Every structure is written in structure tokens, then in C-alpha cells.
Amino acid sequence: MGNACTATIKIKNDLNDTMTLNDANLSDGKWKKYPKESLTSGFNDTAAKAESKDCAMIGPEGYIKYGIPDGTTFMIRFSVPYGNSDNYLHCTAEGSKAGRYKINIDDFSTDGKSPSGTITISR
């Protein structure tokens, strides 16, 4: 049995709106900390953690989707495949008003088995 992997997703909500969880799913792994149901304006903390018991086989992979009152949704996708350097964390805004939002992703370590990244969403 290999070593465990953990993906830590942190979110900084710099909007004047509460972000509400629409959906969350893992194709591999399990939730160590299920995504928070809502992230109030100013929230800046760990929103979710996913883990896999044997990173040598495949690490945690999935998505989290949050929405705000104007109909915009933020799709967060992440993966820690095999505990190598192919880790990724992406976030896209979707909807007719998506163009007014800025998304910045801090370092989601490309090395190691337990990456942590912060997504900042602002206008």
C-alpha cells in the first residue's frame, strides 16, 4: 500500500455575495472535509479537503461548484494524480455575467502528495 494523498482547497471570497454550494463530486478518493455549504463575503479559509489512501494508485480528483445570486457559478476542478507533479487546481466562472469576475489561484503545489491551493474570487 502506498502513501496517502490529500488535496486542500482554500477559498478567499472577495465578493459582496455569499457563495452557495451547488454541487461537489469526487471521481477518486473521499472527502476528508466536505465542501462548506456557504462561504460568506470575506471568507478566507479551507473550504474542502479530499484524500486518497493510496496515492501510488491514484490521488483525489473531483470538482466543487459554487453559485452566487446573480446566477454566476464558479467551477473548481482539482486532481492529485499518482502523487507526482501533475497536480492541478482550476477555477472558471460560468454564466452570462461571468466576465465581471476575477479568479486568482495561488500556488497549488506541483510537487508532493498533499498540495494546498488558494482560490481568490473578486470583481
Side-chain angles (χ1 to χ4, degrees):
M1 184 177 283
N3 296 325
C5 288
T6 303
T8 303
I9 313 301
K10 299 177 181 178
I11 297 178
K12 183 177 180 188
N13 178 358
D14 276 350
L15 303 172
N16 290 326
D17 294 309
T18 295
M19 298 171 63
T20 304
L21 182 66
N22 290 352
D23 194 12
N25 188 40
L26 291 175
S27 54
D28 290 298
K30 67 176 186 170
W31 293 112
K32 186 170 184 176
K33 177 179 182 180
Y34 191 78
K36 290 191 172 286
E37 291 294 323
S38 64
L39 309 175
T40 58
S41 178
F43 179 87
N44 184 10
D45 202 352
T46 299
K49 281 188 181 186
E51 70 177 356
S52 178
K53 294 220 182 272
D54 190 353
C55 200
M57 296 301 289
I58 192 160
E61 180 176 8
Y63 70 86
I64 306 166
K65 191 172 191 175
Y66 282 99
I68 58 174
D70 74 1
T72 303
T73 57
F74 300 95
M75 175 64 84
I76 300 162
R77 296 184 185 278
F78 61 92
S79 180
V80 184
Y82 314 110
N84 62 24
S85 62
D86 293 332
N87 302 338
Y88 70 80
L89 175 64
H90 300 289
C91 181
T92 55
E94 301 170 349
S96 63
K97 298 178 182 175
R100 47 170 88 161
Y101 300 101
K102 296 177 189 169
I103 298 169
N104 183 53
I105 300 175
D106 281 359
D107 182 22
F108 189 67
S109 174
T110 55
D111 301 321
K113 298 177 181 186
S114 296
S116 175
T118 301
I119 300 169
T120 301
I121 301 172
S122 61
R123 285 191 195 206

